Amino acid sequence: MLENYFAKKEPSIEALVRWIADLGGKTPAIRRLPARAAEYGSFGGLDPRIVEALKKRGVEALYTHQSRAVEYALAGVDCVIATPTASGKTLCYNLPVMHAILQNPAARALYLFPTKALAQDQLAELGELAAFADGEIRGFVYDGDTEPAKRRQARSEGHVVITNPDMLNSGILPHHTKWSDYFQNLKYIVIDELHTYRGIFGSHLANLFSRLARICDFYGSRPVFICSSATIANPLEHARELIGRDVELITESGAPASEKELIIYNPPVVDWKSGIRRSSLFESSRIASEALASGISTIVFTRSRLNVELLLKSIRGDLARRSADPMMIMGYRGGYLPKERRKIERDLRSGALRGVVSTNALELGIDIGSLGLAVLHGYPGSIASAWQQIGRAGRRGSLSAAVMVASADPLDQFLAQRPEWFYGAPTEKARIDPYNPYIQVSHVKCSAFELPFHSGELFGGRAVDEILDYLAEHEVLHKVSEAGDERYYWQSDSYPAAGLSLRSATGENYTITDVTIPTKPAVIGTMDRRSAPTLIFPDAIYFHGGKSYIVESLDTEKMQCFIREISADYYTDGDASLRINITDSFDTQGNYGWGEVVVTLTPTIFKKIKLATHENAGFGQINLPEEQMHSTACWLMMPQSRQEDAELKPAMEGLEQLLRNTAPLFLMCDRGDILVTSRLKDPQLRRAAIYIIDNIPGGVGLAEGTFEIKNELVKTALSALNSCGCRRGCPGCVGTLGGDYDLKAAVKKLAEEILTEK
């Protein structure tokens, strides 16, 4: 019990850290981050009413980064603020926006947030500050939950309209004529949580901003961009790519920081033969319930909605057994009703609620008050996200702690064994490709619907005549000559933004229809085309809402999947063969290269695996046409001396597994965003090679990013191998048990040879 650690009357956080160190697992690193004093700047040219309002709230001076941001904004300079969590970035954009509106009531601002929860939180913050300033500043949230009457008010009366990318794409830009007064007077565009706009999503956003820029230009406005981001490696470059403008960068925070204890905790091994450790979910629950029962307010982060519910149930059970109030902690995730989420946020701020279990929804800048402890159930997927979550504790100046509980995932185990890598690791680069052809063509269509194009017009800084002519040839656009200029008009009744997903490259999705009752078919889900071949095929088992279904048929032309509910005690796992054709080589250095590829996926067989025991219960053939994807890839050729070595194949497969697990550490992506595969005899390279493929049609910069850090990636894979406690190889490092064969040594030898061969 934690009470035993108060003998020396230590602060409760220090007692908690000592208790965790004695839990029985391996605690390889307890690091204390020192406190940092505040640095202040001036209020600059802000309206005196705003300065007075700030002083009423106890703000006697701005922090240096806030002062610089206000200075840039008032001077009409685009900027990006990349400072740590809880450094007060909200004032960086609220203050210049309020200033503009108080100076000219016709001025308007657009706030873009990645989540609805952030939008609501910022509306409350803006309203509170405006009330202190005695100004008539009206803010509205404009999203899918907004009532029709409120939408009309937002368009006509809203000084500040707070929305999200999806609503901007389908609900605002296509209907810009209803917003004409708003766009004419648009002075500021605020983009919060800039680091979340990466990969496919970020590539879409860059094109979305190109559409927004055309509309602003049409109405004669040139709003100033104020962007804020977590600490990523390339905030300046990323902001420039997203908004298509030069920006000023602010990274030095003037905000104070309290002392913080950081712990990476690895649960104890319960079976040394297999290397199985105690459940990370159980250990996270145990730490959180101990802290809550001892009066330490706590936030627990986990990666899935299911884990939110499992952790919440476990923690409440522990609290009840201790005769503590189990309702002092709540869950917070997508799927909860908006009113329920708002109440949880309010109760956390007021202290009525002592704890919360959340997905990464609360990783972002929602004000949830002062928390003493952050528990990270597993590595969240990126260094930037990990520091965001760590920063959610200790927001009011007192000592706090953050504990990352390692799961059995190989990446978690690598960080647990090499904590110095995490503490010293540079934050990742956010990568996008605004010119991904699949994505850009979709947005050019949307933009043509919104406003006609003329020949030679730039979109995202580049001419798009080739795309416009292609769309005209396929009768998507109508090309006409007007006064010596070629014009391109949309010529369909529907508007393309309605069917555009900002989270997939091609927008091609299968519609999944439940035909259990033939007379009442019901659409219950969708699946993107690239995932479908090995997940929804005839006789596949599909799970939805806790029920199991069997796939009866698949229409690959109309993109429809028909399923019927059954009671199944097994699931299916599809497999496919892969062919890779290099169509263009962009660069080569030694054994490495990168370029354009065509990946052909041919579904082959599927296995039936029992849910209870994971035993193989049979197999079947998948008879579906092959799927092709044009993308980019980085390839790593094996040393010439190893080409005829009989041990090369298993060593390559082990290195392939290590690269698959460690590459996301550098690329700021999910593991599913890359495809890693080895080929013993590549017909084009004429050597054995491992490919790291950008698993997104057209690519979003992940292959180029891999090529940039190629040697560092192999070194990290080797480090992950050396840090694993197994003797000959295991699923946690090389993907399989080495058995009598020392697979670990073979993989190590191969990686070392790759690094030494020039």
Side-chain angles (χ1 to χ4, degrees):
M1 286 292 186
L2 189 53
E3 297 86 54
N4 300 331
Y5 290 80
F6 287 97
K8 296 181 181 180
K9 297 186 178 179
E10 298 171 286
S12 59
I13 290 294
E14 291 191 356
L16 177 72
V17 172
R18 284 165 51 83
W19 176 78
I20 293 171
D22 290 344
L23 269 181
K26 187 178 180 184
T27 311
I30 300 177
R31 182 163 300 194
R32 177 168 288 205
L33 299 184
R36 185 179 65 242
E39 295 180 25
Y40 296 102
S42 70
F43 288 113
L46 281 174
D47 188 296
R49 288 169 286 182
I50 297 175
V51 176
E52 186 62 30
L54 289 169
K55 289 182 176 180
K56 286 178 184 176
R57 297 181 69 187
V59 179
E60 293 297 326
L62 297 180
Y63 299 133
T64 49
H65 65 283
Q66 294 171 333
S67 183
R68 282 186 66 200
V70 169
E71 180 186 343
Y72 282 138
L74 296 187
V77 177
D78 302 307
C79 68
V80 55
I81 306 105
T83 54
T85 308
S87 55
K89 289 193 281 285
T90 301
L91 287 181
C92 293
Y93 49 79
N94 272 346
L95 297 183
V97 166
M98 287 181 61
H99 174 89
I101 297 166
L102 289 174
Q103 296 291 307
N104 176 14
R108 297 293 185 261
L110 176 70
Y111 284 22
L112 201 69
F113 294 98
T115 67
K116 293 179 181 179
L118 269 173
Q120 294 289 342
D121 187 65
Q122 292 299 321
L123 180 63
E125 172 71 17
L126 180 68
E128 186 179 326
L129 190 59
F132 271 101
D134 297 324
E136 187 62 35
I137 297 175
R138 305 205 66 188
F140 291 87
V141 170
Y142 195 91
D143 59 26
D145 296 333
T146 307
E147 299 170 357
K150 286 282 187 184
R151 293 189 182 194
R152 288 191 293 272
Q153 275 187 296
R155 290 195 295 265
S156 60
E157 303 172 23
H159 292 107
V160 178
V161 173
I162 305 173
T163 189
N164 56 61
D166 301 282
M167 200 64 182
L168 182 64
N169 166 60
S170 61
I172 296 178
L173 296 186
H175 310 289
H176 63 86
T177 53
K178 295 181 179 179
W179 295 78
S180 57
D181 289 342
Y182 176 86
F183 280 116
Q184 284 173 15
N185 294 287
L186 188 58
K187 303 301 180 187
Y188 288 105
I189 297 175
V190 171
I191 307 173
D192 199 23
E193 308 294 351
L194 192 80
H195 61 284
T196 63
Y197 302 133
R198 60 185 189 267
I200 293 179
F201 194 31
S203 302
H204 274 291
L205 262 290
N207 284 277
L208 189 64
F209 293 137
S210 296
R211 288 164 54 191
L212 177 58
R214 291 188 76 224
I215 287 172
C216 289
D217 186 60
F218 177 76
Y219 288 105
S221 63
R222 193 188 186 279
V224 174
F225 279 88
I226 308 173
C227 309
S228 75
S229 172
T231 46
I232 55 176
N234 62 334
L236 183 64
E237 173 195 349
H238 188 49
R240 285 173 175 170
E241 278 199 295
L242 272 171
I243 69 174
R245 294 188 191 176
D246 285 332
V247 297
E248 292 294 331
L249 175 64
I250 301 169
T251 55
E252 294 299 321
S253 172
S258 59
E259 282 188 303
K260 191 185 300 287
E261 296 275 13
L262 295 185
I263 307 163
I264 297 177
Y265 174 76
N266 206 9
V269 174
V270 294
D271 185 338
W272 285 100
K273 187 175 181 180
S274 63
I276 295 174
R277 295 180 180 273
R278 190 182 295 162
S279 162
S280 59
L281 190 142
F282 171 81
E283 294 290 81
S284 298
S285 168
R286 186 180 177 192
I287 292 169
S289 56
E290 191 72 43
L292 286 165
S294 303
I296 300 171
S297 55
T298 301
I299 183 169
V300 184
F301 286 105
T302 187
R303 292 192 69 173
S304 73
R305 295 181 179 189
L306 176 61
N307 280 344
V308 167
E309 300 302 330
L310 293 175
L311 278 164
L312 183 62
K313 183 177 180 181
S314 178
I315 294 168
R316 282 179 172 174
D318 280 350
L319 291 172
R321 282 189 288 274
R322 297 165 183 267
S323 299
D325 179 11
M327 299 309 291
M328 72 169 70
I329 185 167
M330 297 289 289
Y332 187 102
R333 61 169 177 78
Y336 284 18
L337 294 174
K339 287 183 179 179
E340 191 175 8
R341 292 199 298 267
R342 299 298 86 76
K343 184 178 187 306
I344 292 168
E345 293 159 19
R346 287 195 305 272
D347 288 349
L348 282 168
R349 281 195 296 269
S350 69
L353 202 57
R354 301 292 297 167
V356 64
V357 184
S358 175
T359 56
N360 62 358
L362 285 179
E363 171 187 310
L364 306 175
I366 301 166
D367 183 9
I368 51 174
S370 176
L371 296 169
L373 174 68
V375 179
L376 281 60
H377 172 224
Y379 177 64
S382 74
I383 299 291
S385 288
W387 285 106
Q388 284 285 99
Q389 294 182 4
I390 287 167
R392 295 307 285 176
R395 298 174 70 91
R396 293 294 184 268
S398 57
L399 179 69
S400 63
V403 185
M404 185 163 73
V405 181
S407 72
D409 185 276
L411 195 51
D412 285 37
Q413 287 303 306
F414 168 66
L415 293 173
Q417 300 294 338
R418 295 291 178 94
E420 70 281 358
W421 201 99
F422 176 78
Y423 291 134
T427 49
E428 310 93 332
K429 285 186 175 182
R431 301 178 188 278
I432 62 171
D433 181 7
Y435 307 110
N436 176 302
Y438 298 94
I439 293 172
Q440 190 175 40
V441 167
S442 296
H443 285 276
V444 168
K445 288 197 294 185
C446 294
S447 199
F449 169 86
E450 291 150 6
L451 292 168
F453 275 91
H454 63 79
S455 180
E457 183 178 347
L458 301 183
F459 183 83
R462 291 188 183 182
V464 288
D465 286 22
E466 190 175 344
I467 294 175
L468 295 170
D469 286 334
Y470 171 82
L471 294 173
E473 288 170 13
H474 288 77
E475 299 183 347
V476 176
L477 301 180
H478 181 53
K479 183 179 180 180
V480 298
S481 295
E482 294 179 354
D485 186 21
E486 302 289 346
R487 305 277 286 185
Y488 299 84
Y489 292 89
W490 182 255
Q491 61 169 21
S492 174
D493 293 334
S494 61
Y495 69 101
L500 176 63
S501 167
L502 300 182
R503 290 161 184 80
S504 64
T506 63
E508 293 182 303
N509 293 312
Y510 277 92
T511 300
I512 300 172
T513 305
D514 178 7
V515 293
T516 305
I517 304 174
T519 56
K520 293 183 179 179
V523 174
I524 65 168
T526 61
M527 183 172 292
D528 63 286
R529 183 165 193 156
R530 66 192 177 110
S531 303
T534 55
L535 293 175
I536 51 170
F537 46 83
D539 294 330
I541 298 298
Y542 177 80
F543 292 95
H544 182 87
K547 298 178 181 178
S548 56
Y549 301 82
I550 189 166
V551 176
E552 290 202 329
S553 63
L554 203 69
D555 188 329
T556 56
E557 289 187 6
K558 295 181 179 179
M559 304 286 288
Q560 292 182 329
C561 173
F562 300 97
I563 61 174
R564 175 174 49 83
E565 187 177 344
I566 64 166
S567 178
D569 62 352
Y570 67 94
Y571 65 93
T572 50
D573 182 19
D575 199 3
S577 64
L578 205 64
R579 296 199 313 274
I580 304 165
N581 181 38
I582 301 172
T583 56
D584 194 1
S585 178
F586 299 148
D587 196 2
T588 56
Q589 291 178 17
N591 288 329
Y592 301 93
W594 84 284
E596 198 170 276
V597 296
V598 176
V599 180
T600 304
L601 188 81
T602 306
T604 53
I605 63 170
F606 68 91
K607 292 181 288 187
K608 297 179 179 180
I609 302 170
K610 290 185 177 180
L611 287 167
T613 63
H614 299 287
E615 294 175 280
N616 195 336
F619 67 93
Q621 297 292 324
I622 305 176
N623 297 308
L624 289 175
E626 63 184 25
E627 293 278 348
Q628 280 194 342
M629 178 180 71
H630 293 255
S631 190
T632 54
C634 173
W635 50 87
L636 166 55
M637 294 178 286
M638 299 300 104
Q640 287 281 14
S641 60
R642 298 293 300 273
Q643 297 301 309
E644 303 301 324
D645 191 335
E647 292 187 348
L648 180 60
K649 187 176 188 297
M652 282 176 65
E653 290 173 347
L655 181 57
E656 171 193 327
Q657 174 76 3
L658 287 163
L659 293 172
R660 183 181 295 112
N661 290 332
T662 53
L665 276 172
F666 299 91
L667 299 177
M668 205 172 181
C669 69
D670 292 328
R671 204 172 308 176
D673 291 338
I674 56 172
L675 184 62
V676 185
T677 184
S678 56
R679 307 185 80 186
L680 191 59
K681 291 185 178 180
D682 188 280
Q684 288 181 279
L685 299 174
R686 299 182 181 278
R687 289 179 52 188
I690 296 175
Y691 283 85
I692 301 174
I693 303 165
D694 194 326
N695 197 24
I696 295 159
V700 288
L702 301 180
E704 183 179 9
T706 303
F707 186 74
E708 289 172 1
I709 48 96
K710 47 194 177 294
N711 276 326
E712 190 176 357
L713 180 55
V714 177
K715 287 177 184 177
T716 306
L718 183 58
S719 180
L721 180 70
N722 290 334
S723 65
C724 186
C726 70
R727 291 180 58 203
R728 297 176 180 270
C730 72
C733 58
V734 295
T736 184
L737 290 170
D740 294 332
Y741 174 61
D742 197 342
L743 179 57
K744 190 173 183 178
V747 175
K748 182 179 179 180
K749 180 183 176 184
L750 177 61
E752 289 173 343
E753 287 180 2
I754 289 168
L755 291 170
T756 55
E757 183 174 283
K758 302 297 182 184

